[in-house]
Amino acid sequence: MSEWLVLTLAMLAACTVVIVITFVRHRRKGEDEDPSETPDVIEYMTMWIGVVYAIVLGLAIAGVWEARSAAQDHVQAEAQALYEVSERVRVYPSDVRDRIRADVDAYVGHVVTTEWKSMTDHGRLTERGDELLARLRADVTDYQPKSDFEAQAYQPLVDQVAAAAQARTARADAIGPTMPGVVWFGLISGAVITIGMVFALQIRRTPRELVLAGLFSALIAFLLFLIWDFDAPYSRGMSATTDPFLTLFPHLPD
């Protein structure tokens, strides 16, 4: 099922629940119930509950967005480090240069085709990716420079391989959800309480009030969906992508 379809159904469900409860409550209300006599303290509490929940939602959205941006930065750093290896190795003899570049292409090709799917479907990196990166590291570090010019390029190449390995580790750490379960409990409980306070204000069945209540509940459903979608940086709709690899290595298949 498409994530956007899930969002649409969730928003429609939230609106429907609010409208249905309003109709049921309206039918069962007592004859002496007067919506204009809502105590001031309830209005005050409703206002502050909405404000506090809005702050919590804002912080949650900011947190998952920052995590998503950091995940994309890890991909960019890894791709850039591998690109630097591929370019700086040009000072080495042709056989060594071609071997190291082949190692880089094999690793990048595996990441964008096989490993990315493993991250999306299973939430983990592949052992094959570890093996390909280890082979690249061995080919770079085991070479003994034959001239001062090659020696000057050796350490930067080793540093770039280390940077790629570090970025890969960071990418692995960013695969899972960033929001703890207790935070989700608070977000969902807060949504229920916030929407429930609408009924504490004795909402009536006028079209204007029903539309506003429905839009309010739909907005909360949308914001919760947005947090959920950003919560897994590599596996949902608005996730980090392999674009940095494909941009720097256009000759490889995507």
Side-chain angles (χ1 to χ4, degrees), residues 1-235:
M1 182 181 294
S2 170
E3 292 179 1
W4 292 107
L5 178 59
V6 172
L7 169 62
T8 302
L9 294 176
M11 295 175 67
L12 290 176
C15 293
T16 302
V17 168
V18 170
I19 292 173
V20 168
I21 293 178
T22 301
F23 270 91
V24 171
R25 185 177 181 278
H26 183 76
R27 286 181 177 275
R28 295 184 176 181
K29 71 177 183 178
E31 294 181 356
D32 58 343
E33 182 177 334
D34 186 1
S36 63
E37 295 182 355
T38 300
D40 292 340
V41 65
I42 294 182
E43 295 182 359
Y44 180 80
M45 290 172 58
T46 301
M47 178 190 70
W48 276 107
I49 288 174
V51 170
V52 171
Y53 187 64
I55 294 173
V56 172
L57 278 178
L59 291 174
I61 292 174
V64 293
W65 175 256
E66 183 179 356
R68 190 266 183 198
S69 299
Q72 188 67 52
D73 290 342
H74 299 328
V75 179
Q76 179 66 50
E78 185 178 2
Q80 187 64 46
L82 293 168
Y83 178 76
E84 291 297 326
V85 172
S86 184
E87 289 298 311
R88 295 187 183 194
V89 79
R90 64 193 302 172
V91 302
Y92 282 7
S94 59
D95 58 330
V96 179
R97 178 180 66 242
D98 293 343
R99 183 170 67 251
I100 293 177
R101 285 180 173 174
D103 291 341
V104 172
D105 289 348
Y107 175 77
V108 173
H110 176 77
V111 168
V112 300
T113 57
T114 303
E115 187 165 81
W116 205 267
K117 182 174 177 58
S118 175
M119 292 166 56
T120 301
D121 297 341
H122 306 294
R124 62 175 181 268
L125 302 184
T126 62
E127 294 182 1
R128 179 60 178 167
D130 296 333
E131 294 172 358
L132 291 173
L133 185 60
R135 186 172 70 186
L136 170 63
R137 186 196 299 272
D139 285 341
V140 171
T141 58
D142 291 351
Y143 177 71
Q144 296 182 357
K146 302 297 191 300
S147 65
D148 291 341
F149 189 41
E150 292 180 2
Q152 293 175 3
Y154 176 81
Q155 189 58 49
L157 282 170
V158 173
D159 292 342
Q160 291 299 327
V161 173
Q166 183 178 8
R168 175 181 173 81
T169 301
R171 175 160 60 89
D173 293 339
I175 291 178
T178 58
M179 299 288 288
V182 66
V183 176
W184 273 114
F185 176 79
L187 289 174
I188 295 174
S189 299
V192 173
I193 294 172
T194 302
I195 295 176
M197 292 302 293
V198 172
F199 303 106
L201 290 175
Q202 302 182 24
I203 183 174
R204 290 170 292 182
R205 206 172 60 177
T206 63
R208 180 179 60 183
E209 290 178 319
L210 290 177
V211 168
L212 290 176
L215 291 176
F216 177 68
S217 58
L219 175 61
I220 291 180
F222 170 75
L223 294 176
L224 289 176
F225 170 84
L226 197 64
I227 296 171
W228 173 82
D229 197 59
F230 284 148
D231 193 31
Y234 294 112
S235 60

